[in-house]
Amino acid sequence: MEEIKNVIEIKNVSKDYGDFKLDSISFNVPEGSVCGFIGQNGAGKTTTIKAVLDAINIDEGEIFVFGQNIKGNSAKLREDIGVVFDEMGFHEFMTGKDINIMMKNIYKNWDDNVFFDYLKKFSLPSKKPCGDFSRGMRMKLQIAVALSHKAKLLIMDEPTSGLDPIVRNEMVQIFREYVIEEDHSILLSSHITSDLEKISDEIVFINGGKIVLAGNKDEMLEKHGLLKCKKSELDSISQSLIVYAEEESYGVSALVNDRRACEKLYPGMVIEPASLEDIMFFYVNRK
Amino acid sequence: MKGLIIKDLMCLRKQRITFLYIVAVVLIVSVMFVLSAKFGNIAVSNRYMIAENDLSEIDVKNLSSLALVLFMMLPIAMVGDIGTLFTADGKAGFANVSAVLPISIEKRVLAKFVAFISFLGIGVGADIVISLILSLLTDMLSFVDFVEIIITGASVLFIYCSLFCLYMFIFGYGKESVAGGVSLLTIMLALMVANFEKLKVIYISCFIDSAQVIDVNPINVIMNVIKDKCISALIVAVVVGVLSYVLSVFLAKRKRGIV
């Protein structure tokens, strides 16, 4: 059996800001996969991404990208990483042409033709200052930049937040096309779990600076279930199966961490499939 | 790194009209000043000052030269405004972009320094052209004098820019005016310490005992410093530049996300 290669390996990484701590987190992103990084705002997604890119100093732990420790190698490794943030970061007076001139003098593998093809594909004018672009256009511009230097790994921090569903779907389609190449991988952070359900292979769920869940998305969705019952019935269910229960107008809704076992043990109960949003909601409220 | 320098030069592109306007104005005003000092009203007033105010011809020449020097410094000062670079980067949130580019922190900091050196180079180039024209029109200052003045001016601005960069790495984006103010204060303090004896003499002659030191004319002192200390200024500028770069890299590595 072929060994699974990881494009990102995070081992016991900690970063203490005083009011927030990334607490000894560990997870991997396998090569060729789309890893959805979910968590509410302020959970530590951006801090983790910055740590992976060596844009912040970490207090403890190790991070490997493409099998190499980022310490001392980050500048070289970033040649193969495309990054998209929730905010554009380019100067508002810059046009697509200006960005092309700048980037081709930065990335060794920058391809002008690919960049202008993407601008055309995304209907982005190359002579218009990007300050005049809408939020969706700005995101597309960032994606065009990220995809124009033959990056093998895309790291995106909330790229779909604040966008309308049409543009979000377009973006998901772009990401799908990108991962057709088998050595292309994506780490995609978002709190919009519906986008991640469409595209992710793996899910890493972070909450309060700690990794709550990490693993295959389908297995995660298969494993969890949403149990609907009366409050009196809830007491009869093994507490080890329940992640968290919430009272609703008609009774109780509880997230169970082993749907199949629950169905076997309590055949009369209604257990619906849980979405990523449900999983996130119940795990966050568990505290 | 080249890409970052190009981006910074693009930031300056917005100011190119203003820069050309300033160069044209400086050239016209300087030529008018030189012609007037030679044949016109300024020449008449110079003669009047020599006759009435016990001023020597050298004093008057230095006074006129100082006016010319001030005009000459404008193009360099204009492009030396590197605060606009940091303001533009801060406003755009460009630090997020540059932090994930395949460029080391050392090179990112170096790009900033090279960018402002390039800006100064543009100002110096414009000044040299103006000097060449003016040196052909006047005997107030020779071309060599002009070049010495430009070197001194550019060195002072280089020191200012180096300190500005360093202070920006200390204070962070949005604190451009603080960094500018502290840089100016540092330079003034250093100049005062370095010229303490001369300043003491000037102070005594001006405010305590004017009879004690009659030879000291502040304008002559300033002109002599500007012309005679150009090599010293250049050396100090290089030293301050190197030190600022090393400290800026150290700070950028520790703080991250500021360049």
Side-chain angles (χ1 to χ4, degrees), chain A residues 161-262:
Chain A
S161 68
L163 299 179
D164 65 66
I166 310 286
V167 179
R168 272 170 35 210
N169 267 331
E170 271 183 75
M171 293 214 168
V172 168
Q173 191 53 41
I174 295 161
F175 304 153
R176 278 202 184 111
E177 285 170 18
Y178 173 77
V179 285
I180 288 173
E181 298 259 350
E182 60 182 24
D183 63 340
H184 284 183
S185 319
I186 297 179
L187 173 64
L188 172 60
S189 113
S190 181
H191 59 269
I192 304 172
T193 50
S194 58
D195 293 340
L196 296 175
E197 270 188 46
K198 287 180 197 164
I199 188 175
S200 298
D201 305 303
E202 303 285 318
I203 291 290
V204 175
F205 175 24
I206 188 168
N207 189 39
K210 289 179 180 171
I211 301 295
V212 180
L213 286 171
N216 183 275
K217 178 196 74 183
D218 294 332
E219 284 172 17
M220 202 178 280
L221 291 174
E222 180 66 24
K223 210 173 145 197
H224 288 87
L226 213 52
L227 174 79
K228 307 274 185 182
C229 63
K230 289 177 187 164
K231 202 181 172 189
S232 56
E233 292 172 320
L234 190 68
D235 299 335
S236 64
I237 296 166
S238 166
Q239 290 303 301
S240 63
L241 286 172
I242 296 170
V243 175
Y244 180 72
E246 183 153 286
E247 278 189 50
E248 288 174 349
S249 53
Y250 57 84
V252 175
S253 187
L255 184 78
V256 292
N257 55 24
D258 193 339
R259 192 166 134 201
R260 297 287 162 234
C262 206

Side-chain angles (χ1 to χ4, degrees), chain B residues 39-92:
Chain B
F39 312 108
N41 290 339
I42 296 175
V44 174
S45 74
N46 284 348
R47 280 197 294 275
Y48 177 79
M49 277 197 290
I50 291 167
E52 298 289 320
N53 298 340
D54 294 334
L55 288 177
S56 69
E57 277 192 32
I58 293 169
D59 294 338
V60 171
K61 192 181 169 187
N62 274 343
L63 194 63
S64 301
S65 305
L66 189 68
L68 209 51
V69 166
L70 295 177
F71 298 148
M72 294 285 299
M73 288 302 118
L74 280 175
I76 304 182
M78 196 259 158
V79 282
D81 181 19
I82 57 159
T84 51
L85 284 189
F86 283 93
T87 308
D89 280 2
K91 200 177 154 199

Side-chain angles (χ1 to χ4, degrees), chain B:
Chain B
M1 191 179 89
K2 207 168 117 190
L4 292 181
I5 299 165
I6 291 170
K7 183 269 299 170
D8 284 339
L9 288 169
M10 283 176 184
C11 286
L12 195 72
R13 192 173 57 183
K14 284 194 295 182
Q15 292 166 279
R16 66 182 184 273
I17 302 292
T18 321
F19 177 69
L20 290 173
Y21 178 74
I22 285 178
V23 169
V25 168
V26 165
L27 183 60
I28 292 164
V29 172
S30 302
V31 168
M32 284 168 67
F33 178 80
V34 163
L35 292 176
S36 180
K38 213 169 179 182
F39 312 108
N41 290 339
I42 296 175
V44 174
S45 74
N46 284 348
R47 280 197 294 275
Y48 177 79
M49 277 197 290
I50 291 167
E52 298 289 320
N53 298 340
D54 294 334
L55 288 177
S56 69
E57 277 192 32
I58 293 169
D59 294 338
V60 171
K61 192 181 169 187
N62 274 343
L63 194 63
S64 301
S65 305
L66 189 68
L68 209 51
V69 166
L70 295 177
F71 298 148
M72 294 285 299
M73 288 302 118
L74 280 175
I76 304 182
M78 196 259 158
V79 282
D81 181 19
I82 57 159
T84 51
L85 284 189
F86 283 93
T87 308
D89 280 2
K91 200 177 154 199
F94 189 75
N96 280 336
V97 176
S98 63
V100 299
L101 295 173
I103 304 170
S104 63
I105 289 175
E106 289 87 345
K107 284 186 178 172
R108 274 182 259 157
V109 175
L110 187 61
K112 272 275 173 280
F113 277 73
V114 172
F116 83 67
I117 291 169
S118 312
F119 290 6
L120 285 181
I122 295 168
V124 167
D127 254 0
I128 284 178
V129 173
I130 298 171
S131 322
L132 200 61
I133 297 166
L134 292 179
S135 60
L136 294 172
L137 292 174
T138 180
D139 54 358
M140 263 193 291
L141 289 167
S142 68
F143 183 65
V144 174
D145 286 338
F146 273 120
V147 171
E148 284 172 350
I149 289 162
I150 292 168
I151 290 173
T152 309
S155 300
V156 172
L157 262 155
F158 183 86
I159 293 168
Y160 169 80
C161 291
S162 303
L163 291 173
F164 184 89
C165 277
L166 175 63
Y167 288 127
M168 278 308 295
F169 289 121
I170 294 171
F171 299 126
Y173 287 116
K175 298 281 169 61
E176 288 81 6
S177 47
V178 178
V182 177
S183 305
L184 278 176
L185 277 175
T186 310
I187 293 172
M188 281 168 65
L189 215 66
L191 282 174
M192 282 167 74
V193 171
N195 296 289
F196 184 73
E197 284 305 318
K198 280 178 195 157
L199 286 172
K200 204 167 85 178
V201 171
I202 292 171
Y203 177 78
I204 291 168
S205 69
C206 291
F207 299 107
I208 298 173
D209 185 4
S210 56
Q212 190 182 332
V213 193
I214 50 168
D215 291 340
V216 176
N217 179 333
I219 291 167
N220 294 349
V221 171
I222 292 167
M223 276 312 295
N224 290 336
V225 166
I226 289 174
K227 283 196 284 188
D228 300 342
K229 297 290 172 84
C230 71
I231 299 300
S232 314
L234 192 63
I235 292 166
V236 172
V238 171
V239 171
V240 171
V242 170
L243 282 175
S244 295
Y245 170 72
V246 171
L247 285 169
S248 298
V249 169
F250 173 74
L251 286 167
K253 278 188 172 172
R254 279 196 57 164
K255 287 169 92 175
R256 299 285 177 99
I258 51 170
V259 67

